[in-house]
Amino acid sequence: MGRQPCCDKLGVKKGPWTAEEDKKLINFILTNGHCCWRAVPKLAGLRRCGKSCRLRWTNYLRPDLKRGLLTEAEEQLVIDLHARLGNRWSKIASRLPGRTDNEIKNHWNTHIKKKLLKMGIDPVTHEPLNKDDQASNMTETPQDHANNTTSTTTKNLTTQTENHNHLSQESSGSTTANSELAENSSSSSPAAENSSSGDESALLLADTLCNDESFMNNLWDDNSKLSPPELVDDSLWKYSCPPSSTTYGDQKVVNYSDMGILPSLEDNCSSSWLLDCQDFGIQDFGFDNCFDDFELNKALSAIEMGQNLH
DNA sequence: AAATTACACAACCGCATCCAT
DNA sequence: GATGGATGCGGTTGTGTAATT
């Protein structure tokens, strides 16, 4: 007896999600959480595979997502983390608040890869392309590489990453995920310790990073309702968090009206998923811990602004 | 203005892993 | 320990849009 397909292929819709479907999914998850993705489509009244629902939620509908291109600082962090972790996009994404593995993967493939090649750096090994021993690296997996080598990009980025690790530990008080990174760093990247503090490029990058206000806000703002990098995971989203103030502080606000989730002006309807939250009672979802009146108002104004754009 | 190319990103697919039985 | 189901992850493809010719 073979394994059952993850969903009944018959009658399951594929392709782009409609605004109506998005709304159904959001309402359902905000109301019930996602106890079991397989059951979600049925319970939410969607003709979708559970897998598809999960993907849609984690990659697009989650309220804490940042939209828009990665900042320079985020990009540098991705490069550094990739040098250490390889193509483990979910691990990398867990260190970038509001970013998804899919988003980072896409950005890597469309931007960073080319950028590194242009700089003469192998995006897989993070070593200079014309190195003699390049051939030997060809057989190495990114993971092997991450465990064994000191990459060029890592060398360049060490200072900034150390700043991140050090400071995020302090600010979050949580060391679980960072300790994993630290493990990788200490065992695999002696460069982290050895890199010259006088390395101009590293300092420059660190400077860039620290001057990137939105990025730093995400990392430092104790009041930020964004999870610290190591805390961004689905388990926490079971009892989801609303759009954070940090997110709304960015011009790339999560704009639900763009997605058609919010009623258009012509709908002349006051309901939205956020307003629905109010109806449900924010406390019902544990929102009271992370969503005060001020932020609710901020969120609603942001949404109104979004509506006014249409 | 039309055709072509490049880019951005949403979504799917298949395999891996975890976990309950 | 074996098995099967649910979920997660990474690779890849498809599609819409902007830029260029």
Side-chain angles (χ1 to χ4, degrees), chain A residues 66 71 73-74 95-98 164 167-168 171-172 208-229 244-251 295 298:
Chain A
K66 275 195 228 171
T71 64
E74 286 175 314
R95 270 118 195 168
L96 282 99
H164 274 305
L167 293 170
S168 28
S171 69
S172 69
T208 307
L209 204 69
C210 294
N211 287 328
D212 187 320
E213 206 182 320
S214 65
F215 185 80
M216 294 309 286
N217 281 343
N218 282 341
L219 291 177
W220 305 116
D221 187 359
D222 281 340
N223 297 321
S224 169
K225 304 308 177 286
L226 271 178
S227 311
S244 69
S245 56
T246 310
T247 303
Y248 285 104
D250 194 292
Q251 80 273 19
E295 283 171 343
K298 244 163 104 181

Side-chain angles (χ1 to χ4, degrees), chain A residues 11 19 22 28 69 92 94 97 115 124 128 131 134 137 140 157-158 162 165 174 179 186 189-190 230 236 243 245 281:
Chain A
D22 282 344
F28 178 80
L69 286 175
I92 294 172
S94 71
K115 216 176 196 177
V124 178
K131 250 191 147 186
Q134 195 184 338
N137 286 337
E140 193 179 44
L157 292 157
T158 298
E162 279 180 341
N165 293 340
S174 166
S179 64
S186 59
S189 294
E230 64 274 17
L236 291 168
S245 56

Side-chain angles (χ1 to χ4, degrees), chain A residues 71-83:
Chain A
T71 64
E72 186 73 21
E74 286 175 314
E75 203 171 88
Q76 297 293 356
L77 185 56
V78 168
I79 294 169
D80 180 47
L81 290 168
H82 185 270

Side-chain angles (χ1 to χ4, degrees), chain A residues 168-310:
Chain A
S168 28
Q169 280 181 18
E170 276 181 4
S171 69
S172 69
S174 166
T175 56
T176 319
N178 278 329
S179 64
E180 189 192 330
L181 179 58
E183 252 176 57
N184 282 325
S185 306
S186 59
S187 64
S188 67
S189 294
E193 287 84 28
N194 295 340
S195 76
S196 156
S197 57
D199 185 324
E200 235 179 57
S201 63
L203 285 173
L204 242 167
L205 286 166
D207 201 33
T208 307
L209 204 69
C210 294
N211 287 328
D212 187 320
E213 206 182 320
S214 65
F215 185 80
M216 294 309 286
N217 281 343
N218 282 341
L219 291 177
W220 305 116
D221 187 359
D222 281 340
N223 297 321
S224 169
K225 304 308 177 286
L226 271 178
S227 311
E230 64 274 17
L231 295 180
V232 177
D233 71 23
D234 264 353
S235 62
L236 291 168
W237 266 102
K238 233 178 230 181
Y239 305 101
S240 57
C241 266
S244 69
S245 56
T246 310
T247 303
Y248 285 104
D250 194 292
Q251 80 273 19
K252 293 283 186 183
V253 151
V254 178
N255 190 346
Y256 286 96
S257 60
D258 272 348
M259 309 185 320
I261 291 164
L262 296 174
S264 60
L265 284 174
E266 55 272 24
D267 287 342
N268 191 27
C269 168
S270 64
S271 72
S272 69
W273 75 270
L274 256 178
L275 295 172
D276 285 343
C277 288
Q278 288 182 299
D279 292 338
F280 299 143
I282 284 170
Q283 297 83 355
D284 295 344
F285 311 108
F287 281 10
D288 50 331
N289 290 330
C290 55
F291 209 39
D292 58 28
D293 286 347
F294 176 70
E295 283 171 343
L296 181 61
N297 288 334
K298 244 163 104 181
L300 290 171
S301 354
I303 287 163
E304 275 170 22
M305 279 169 65
Q307 284 178 330
N308 291 335
L309 292 174
H310 287 76

Side-chain angles (χ1 to χ4, degrees), chain A residues 102-161:
Chain A
N102 205 34
E103 190 179 12
I104 292 170
K105 186 170 58 181
N106 282 333
H107 190 75
W108 179 270
N109 288 328
T110 55
H111 279 106
I112 303 178
K113 234 175 175 177
K114 289 172 189 171
K115 216 176 196 177
L116 291 179
L117 285 169
K118 223 173 182 179
M119 290 163 65
I121 296 169
D122 188 328
V124 178
T125 64
H126 293 256
E127 295 291 337
L129 274 170
N130 294 327
K131 250 191 147 186
D132 288 338
D133 59 355
Q134 195 184 338
S136 65
N137 286 337
M138 298 285 278
T139 55
E140 193 179 44
T141 68
Q143 283 80 7
D144 293 337
H145 170 76
N147 289 330
N148 298 327
T149 66
T150 301
S151 75
T152 305
T153 47
T154 300
K155 278 177 191 165
N156 288 339
L157 292 157
T158 298
T159 307
Q160 61 137 79
T161 307

